[in-house]
Amino acid sequence: MMQRKIIIAGGGTGGHIFPAIAIANALKKINPDTEILFVGAKGKMEMEKVPQAGYPIEGLEIAGFNRSNMFKNLLLPFKILKSLGQARRILERFQPHAVVGVGGYASFPVMRKAQHKGIPTLIQEQNSFAGKANMSLGKKAKKICVAYEGMDKFFPADKLVMTGNPVRGNITQSAVTKEDALQHFGLQSGKTTVLAVGGSLGAKAINEALQPLLASFVEKDIQLIWQTGKPYFDTAKAAALPYSSHVKVFDFINLMDFAYKASDVVISRAGALAIAELCVVKKPVIFVPYPFAAEDHQTFNAQSLVVKSAALIIKNDEAGTLLGNTLFSLVQNKALLEQLEQNIGKLGNTNADMVIAKQIMTLIG
């Protein structure tokens, strides 16, 4: 059997990187000789996380459209042209049999150039609402792996494969007990515990809504594991100091399987990776979607669970007024907690990485 070479392109956030690594691991499981090269964006998280997972990565000089600083966008056309050139050279040097795009900045130039060269491409579309870049790539892609129904609004129906979103192995295969998980965070067992996460960078609206509620957590004897992200960490740490018996603050949680296991209720952004994980760990969740994500896809993602009675949703700009009441009444509503847990659990998918890896292998025969 000849050696297969595959490029996985994309990144930018944990939501793109962790599923990509899960797919790479599954490809290696099917055929250990497969050679995998990642292509990411210079200065982004993947340049650190991918080598940690044991894979080589090359970085493109590419940036996304800057919504807050228009001046920075003047250089964008040059960066895109430059990154297309870099992508072409990587493809010529590595000679892959297939290219997989997982979304994020680096995905587009590599996929576009691969399609020009006639190299088979596969899109892993994580969201319920496809972005413009993936929609344009979808016309020439051989297969498009999706996690939500109704994606033929965005892509040719005959190319769609329903696979679900890959979840990190340390979450799907975690064997940690609730007791150990609570102990790890310095919390007591037998008390209701809430986990608040805002993605790898933290969520301003969630953080600012939680801060005035800290005293209530102590009064109601509810524990809080609070991942703030780096920008808000010092503020949160200072605010939580008087309530440290019940409130534990972290800028980033590495052992997410422990955090999920310790918690009874989760407050979260609605990125595709977070949702895939929450379905696998079967946790009642209040989503506060990030409204500035491209095409507001987080709201669409969350809504697809809300209509199945598998989650609750609060708008970003209403978090300050509604989060406390919603959370504290949910915690007391045993029937609703059970319903949310059962319904979100039905959507869990633990082998998406392997299903996608097999789809990639069929592209190269």
Side-chain angles (χ1 to χ4, degrees), residues 44-60:
K44 292 287 178 188
M45 208 172 146
E46 57 266 26
M47 302 310 291
E48 177 194 342
K49 298 282 183 199
V50 169
Q52 280 171 4
Y55 293 100
I57 185 165
E58 301 212 18
L60 304 181

Side-chain angles (χ1 to χ4, degrees), residues 241-256:
L241 205 56
Y243 314 109
S244 57
S245 59
H246 287 66
V247 180
K248 309 293 174 187
V249 184
F250 305 89
D251 60 348
F252 185 78
I253 297 173
N254 278 310
L255 297 173
M256 272 312 284

Side-chain angles (χ1 to χ4, degrees), residues 33 68 153 159 262 286 358:
D33 290 338
S68 53
K153 288 196 290 291
K159 295 180 180 182
I286 300 168
K358 284 177 181 158

Side-chain angles (χ1 to χ4, degrees), residues 26-82:
L27 284 165
K28 284 282 199 190
K29 228 180 246 176
I30 295 172
N31 182 1
D33 290 338
T34 308
E35 197 182 333
I36 296 169
L37 173 67
F38 279 76
V39 180
K42 279 188 179 158
K44 292 287 178 188
M45 208 172 146
E46 57 266 26
M47 302 310 291
E48 177 194 342
K49 298 282 183 199
V50 169
Q52 280 171 4
Y55 293 100
I57 185 165
E58 301 212 18
L60 304 181
E61 284 170 55
I62 177 91
F65 186 76
N66 194 312
R67 286 185 171 81
S68 53
N69 183 345
M70 284 303 171
F71 185 69
K72 285 187 176 169
N73 294 322
L74 293 175
L75 292 170
L76 198 58
F78 303 103
K79 284 191 170 164
I80 290 171
L81 282 172
K82 187 171 185 184

Side-chain angles (χ1 to χ4, degrees), residues 114-352:
Q115 290 178 348
H116 280 178
K117 289 178 172 294
I119 301 166
T121 56
L122 177 144
I123 293 171
Q124 198 252 321
E125 173 56 72
Q126 303 170 343
N127 291 301
S128 60
F129 197 100
K132 293 182 179 67
N134 271 357
M135 278 165 67
S136 73
L137 292 169
K139 297 181 182 74
K140 288 191 177 167
K142 291 272 186 279
K143 296 202 169 172
I144 301 151
C145 296
V146 296
Y148 292 93
E149 291 129 24
M151 297 303 286
D152 50 359
K153 288 196 290 291
F154 308 105
F155 298 113
D158 57 335
K159 295 180 180 182
L160 294 177
V161 190
M162 183 66 149
T163 58
N165 279 324
V167 173
R168 298 177 259 185
N170 60 353
I171 286 168
T172 55
Q173 288 134 36
S174 176
V176 65
T177 64
K178 184 157 192 167
E179 198 63 36
D180 287 344
L182 284 163
Q183 215 163 11
H184 171 80
F185 293 106
L187 294 168
Q188 292 181 11
S189 54
K191 292 183 179 183
T192 299
T193 304
V194 176
L195 166 67
V197 278
S200 45
L201 302 169
K204 190 168 180 281
I206 294 176
N207 288 336
E208 288 176 356
L210 281 171
Q211 195 172 325
L213 302 173
L214 299 179
S216 308
F217 278 92
V218 179
E219 280 159 30
K220 296 175 191 295
D221 204 15
I222 296 169
Q223 303 181 130
L224 173 65
I225 301 168
W226 186 9
Q227 180 185 293
T228 60
K230 283 212 168 59
Y232 201 80
F233 178 65
D234 293 332
T235 311
K237 195 89 180 133
L241 205 56
Y243 314 109
S244 57
S245 59
H246 287 66
V247 180
K248 309 293 174 187
V249 184
F250 305 89
D251 60 348
F252 185 78
I253 297 173
N254 278 310
L255 297 173
M256 272 312 284
D257 55 324
F258 280 67
Y260 287 136
K261 184 64 83 161
S263 64
D264 302 293
V265 174
V266 180
I267 302 164
S268 176
R269 284 299 198 203
L273 175 76
I275 292 182
E277 291 180 351
L278 288 160
C279 293
V280 167
V281 297
K282 302 180 177 57
K283 293 292 167 180
V285 57
I286 300 168
F287 287 121
V288 184
Y290 178 61
F292 307 108
E295 282 89 20
D296 196 16
H297 67 245
Q298 287 206 1
T299 300
F300 285 90
N301 291 352
Q303 221 49 70
S304 65
L305 273 77
V306 173
V307 298
K308 294 178 177 152
S309 307
L312 304 180
I313 187 169
I314 294 175
K315 280 193 182 136
N316 193 68
D317 55 4
E318 292 176 353
T321 47
L322 298 179
L323 187 63
N325 286 342
T326 309
L327 174 65
F328 294 132
S329 60
L330 172 61
V331 163
Q332 290 172 325
N333 189 337
K334 288 283 176 279
L336 181 54
L337 284 172
E338 268 172 36
Q339 182 195 26
L340 291 174
E341 199 173 308
Q342 276 172 357
N343 289 339
I344 202 168
K346 286 178 198 156
L347 307 172
N349 185 329
T350 52
N351 69 337

